[in-house]
Amino acid sequence: CKMAAGSCLLLFLLPWLVTTSHSPPGCKIRITSKGLDLVKQEGLRFVEQELQNITVSDLHGKEGQFHYNISEVKVMDLQLAFSDLHFQPQQHLVFNINNASISLRFRRQLLYWFFYDIGSINASADGVQIHTVLQLSKDEAGRLKISNITCNASIARMHAGFSGTLRKVYEFLSTFIVTGMRFLLSQQICPSLEHASLVLLNSVLDTVPVRNYVDEHIGIDYSLLRDPAVSTDTLDLDFKGMFFPRGRENQELENHAVEPVIKETERMVYVAFSEYFFDSAMHAYFQAGVLAIELQGEKVPKDLEVLLRATFFGTIFMLSPAVDAPLRLVLQVSAPPRCTIKPSGTSVSVSAFLNISLVPPGRPAVQLSSMAMETKLSAKVFLQGKALRVQLDLRRFRIYSKQSALESLALFSLQAPLKTLLQLTIMPIINERTKKGVQIPLPEGMDFTKEVVTNHAGFLTVGADLHFSKGLREVIEKYRPAPTTPTYPSLWPAEPSMDPHQL
C-alpha cells in the first residue's frame, strides 16, 4: 500500500516537475539552413586565412652523402572549392572540405659531397580532406560557445617542382622530402582549426550581449536557458529574455506566458518574442519609478487649462485668493502595464491615475481632483538593424472619479481634451524613450535585412535574412588582446647557417 501510494504521488508530481524544469523562453532565435549557407561563405574565407598562416616545422635529414634542410615553409594559395557546412543533431555543426589543394613554397639547402645548393621549391598538396565537428553548448554565463571540436585531416598527394644544378638529385630523393612535408603539413591543419574555433570564433561569440543595460533605468538578461537544440535543418536558441530594473539586477519575474513556437524555415533567421518579454520590460520600468509625468504651469496646454478651470470653477473660487495659481497635472501609472499579442495585432493595457492640483506660490498644493484612467495602446513592433523597436499609439481612453459616480459624470467633458493631451504631449515623450530600442542577441558584424513581423497568439516572430556588415577577421582583430611586452630580452632564433658543415 505504501509503495502504491508513493507511486501515485510520483505520478501526480511528475507533470509539475517537468514543467518547472523547462523554463519557457522570453526570446527565441532560429537559424535555418539558408542562414547557415551565408555563415559558410564567411566561414570559408576565415578558414582560408587561418590555413594560410600555418607554421610548418623545418625538415632536415641525411641519406648517405646527401644532406638536406627544408625551412621557411609558406602557404601561397588555397583552393577550397568543395566545402560543406551543415547541422548535425543534437548540438553539432559539421564542416567538411573535400579535394582541396594547397600551394607551398619553401627554402632548400642541399649538400651532396662537395656540391652545395640553395634556393626555393614550389610544392602542391592535392586531395586535401578536412572533416571537423563543432560541439555547441551553453557556458556558465549563459552564452553560446564552441565547447569542443573533433578534426581529421589528410593529404592524398603531394608534388614538388625542383630546379637548379642538383635537380636530378632532388628528384631522386624527392620521396623522402615530399613524404616528410606531407606529414608535417597534415599535422598542422587540425591544430590551426582548433585554435580558430575554440579561441578566435569563441571571441566573436563573446560579443553577443548576455546581460547588459538598455538605458539608465533598466537592463536585459539574454542568457541561454539551455544548450542549443539542433535538427537537420535548424538551430534553436532559447533565451531568458527578461528585463530588470538597475539596482535590483538579481530580481526574477516568473514567466507564465505562452512559449514561442517557430515552425517556419523559409528565411535565414527567425526571432520570436513572447508577451513575457514585453511585460518584463514594462514591469522593470514600473519598479524603476519612471512611469510618471508631471506637467505644471506653461507646460499645461492652454485650451486644457481653460477647460479645467471651468470644470473646477466652484472649487477654485472657494479657494480664493488662489484662483490664479498655476495648475499641476501628475500622470502616474498605478500598476505594471500588460502586453497582449494576438494574430490581429499587439496592444498594451495601462492603468493610471491623474492628479490635478493648484500650486499657489509659497503655499502648499491644493488638490482639485484625483481621477483614474484606463487606456489601451496599439503597439507596432519592428526591427531595424539589430534593434527591436516599439511605436505606441493611443487607441482607447477612459477616465472616472475614484470618489463618486456623480463626479465621474462631471468629468465626462474632460474625456476628449485629456485624450488629446495624451496624444499630442504624452505619447511623443513615451515614443522618444522607446526609439532607441533594445539589441537582439547576435554577434557583432552580423545584421538583419528584409524583416517581416508576424503576430501569433501570445507571441510574435520576426523573419529576416542576414548579412555581414563586418568580416569575422575584422571582429576578431578588434577584440584580440594586445600583446604584452616581455620584461626580459627576447631570444630570437639565429638565421639558418650557410655553412654546409652545419647542415
Side-chain angles (χ1 to χ4, degrees):
C1 293
K2 290 182 179 180
M3 292 180 62
S7 300
C8 291
L9 180 61
L10 180 61
L11 291 174
F12 176 77
L13 292 176
L14 186 58
W16 181 83
L17 292 173
V18 172
T19 302
T20 55
S21 64
H22 182 85
S23 301
C27 171
K28 188 167 191 165
I29 291 182
R30 163 170 289 183
I31 299 175
T32 67
S33 295
K34 292 183 178 180
L36 199 61
D37 288 340
L38 179 69
V39 174
K40 185 189 80 170
Q41 297 173 19
E42 182 63 27
L44 197 58
R45 285 192 289 268
F46 174 68
V47 168
E48 289 177 351
Q49 294 168 350
E50 287 301 302
L51 293 181
Q52 285 176 344
N53 295 325
I54 284 179
T55 301
V56 181
S57 303
D58 293 352
L59 178 66
H60 54 85
K62 175 183 177 182
E63 295 294 333
Q65 297 301 317
F66 176 72
H67 300 255
Y68 60 90
N69 184 39
I70 302 300
S71 61
E72 300 178 13
V73 181
K74 294 182 179 179
V75 176
M76 306 303 296
D77 184 47
L78 293 100
Q79 297 294 328
L80 309 179
F82 304 100
S83 62
D84 174 60
L85 178 65
H86 63 270
F87 297 117
Q88 177 179 296
Q90 302 288 326
Q91 299 167 225
H92 302 93
L93 289 177
V94 178
F95 183 58
N96 290 322
I97 295 176
N98 299 312
N99 201 26
S101 63
I102 304 176
S103 298
L104 305 169
R105 176 175 290 177
F106 44 87
R107 184 173 181 268
R108 72 175 187 262
Q109 291 176 287
L110 172 68
L111 175 65
Y112 184 68
W113 292 100
F114 300 105
F115 296 97
Y116 179 64
D117 184 42
I118 61 173
S120 61
I121 299 176
N122 294 323
S124 64
D126 299 321
V128 179
Q129 309 285 338
I130 305 174
H131 176 75
T132 57
V133 179
L134 307 178
Q135 182 176 357
L136 305 175
S137 63
K138 174 182 76 72
D139 69 4
E140 293 181 358
R143 180 178 275 111
L144 178 67
K145 282 300 180 78
I146 301 172
S147 57
N148 192 27
I149 176 174
T150 58
C151 175
N152 293 294
S154 63
I155 299 174
R157 300 170 301 280
M158 193 159 185
H159 306 282
F162 301 101
S163 61
T165 56
L166 300 179
R167 179 172 58 86
K168 293 295 183 181
V169 177
Y170 272 115
E171 290 177 350
F172 175 72
L173 297 170
S174 64
T175 302
F176 301 103
I177 298 175
V178 170
T179 301
M181 287 302 302
R182 183 174 67 176
F183 174 78
L184 291 176
L185 180 61
S186 63
Q187 290 297 303
Q188 293 301 315
I189 291 176
C190 283
S192 176
L193 294 182
E194 288 172 2
H195 177 265
S197 301
L198 298 177
V199 178
L200 301 184
L201 289 182
N202 274 337
S203 71
V204 176
L205 293 177
D206 283 339
T207 66
V208 176
V210 172
R211 194 174 179 89
N212 62 322
Y213 294 136
V214 176
D215 54 29
E216 64 272 23
H217 304 296
I218 67 171
I220 187 169
D221 187 339
Y222 271 133
S223 58
L224 282 171
L225 295 174
R226 55 193 64 89
D227 289 334
V230 180
S231 70
T232 55
D233 300 315
T234 60
L235 182 149
D236 288 343
L237 302 167
D238 290 349
F239 297 93
K240 191 172 186 178
M242 185 198 77
F243 293 82
F244 54 86
R246 294 180 63 166
R248 284 180 280 182
E249 300 182 10
N250 295 324
Q251 180 174 290
E252 293 288 332
L253 181 65
E254 197 168 350
N255 187 352
H256 298 290
V258 174
E259 180 173 349
V261 177
I262 304 175
K263 298 181 179 179
E264 299 87 352
T265 58
E266 291 77 18
R267 306 295 294 274
M268 291 184 182
V269 64
Y270 290 89
V271 188
F273 305 93
S274 75
E275 293 173 344
Y276 172 81
F277 181 86
F278 301 100
D279 283 346
S280 68
M282 293 181 287
H283 189 273
Y285 274 123
F286 179 78
Q287 289 198 315
V290 296
L291 299 184
I293 296 176
E294 179 178 315
L295 301 176
Q296 182 173 322
E298 295 180 354
K299 292 184 179 180
V300 179
K302 196 63 180 178
D303 293 343
L304 178 62
E305 181 182 1
V306 171
L307 182 61
L308 288 174
R309 289 185 180 276
T311 302
F312 300 105
F313 176 77
T315 305
I316 296 174
F317 185 79
M318 295 298 294
L319 295 172
S320 180
V323 175
D324 295 328
L327 280 175
R328 181 172 66 190
L329 278 63
V330 177
L331 177 63
Q332 185 168 352
V333 173
S334 57
R338 297 299 302 271
C339 173
T340 302
I341 303 176
K342 296 180 180 180
S344 57
T346 303
S347 62
V348 178
S349 300
V350 184
S351 297
F353 60 82
L354 176 65
N355 288 335
I356 303 174
S357 305
L358 284 173
V359 189
R363 297 177 58 185
V366 179
Q367 183 170 301
L368 298 179
S369 179
S370 178
M371 61 187 75
M373 301 176 56
E374 292 181 358
T375 61
K376 180 162 283 191
L377 311 175
S378 61
K380 179 183 178 183
V381 181
F382 59 98
L383 203 60
Q384 189 170 6
K386 274 192 295 192
L388 182 74
R389 299 179 178 178
V390 179
Q391 181 79 21
L392 297 171
D393 189 26
L394 184 61
R395 183 192 300 176
R396 290 204 300 265
F397 172 78
R398 185 174 75 93
I399 60 172
Y400 58 92
S401 172
K402 296 192 293 183
Q403 276 75 34
S404 67
L406 183 62
E407 187 176 3
S408 295
L409 184 61
L411 294 175
F412 184 77
S413 60
L414 295 176
Q415 187 94 7
L418 284 177
K419 184 176 181 180
T420 302
L421 171 70
L422 289 175
Q423 289 175 323
L424 300 181
T425 306
I426 308 301
M427 296 307 300
I429 297 174
I430 296 174
N431 283 322
E432 184 64 27
R433 290 182 178 178
T434 61
K435 184 177 181 180
K436 181 181 178 181
V438 60
Q439 186 180 357
I440 304 302
L442 278 185
E444 183 173 340
M446 185 178 290
D447 292 320
F448 297 105
T449 61
K450 303 176 183 178
E451 307 90 348
V452 176
V453 178
T454 305
N455 279 45
H456 305 272
F459 65 95
L460 59 85
T461 59
V462 182
D465 289 336
L466 295 169
H467 83 282
F468 283 91
S469 57
K470 297 179 182 178
L472 287 175
R473 178 63 57 187
E474 182 180 354
V475 177
I476 288 169
E477 293 300 327
K478 178 179 178 181
Y479 293 98
R480 186 190 296 273
T484 57
T485 304
T487 57
Y488 49 86
S490 299
L491 299 177
W492 296 93
E495 290 291 329
S497 173
M498 298 299 293
D499 184 358
H501 299 287
Q502 294 185 16
L503 286 177

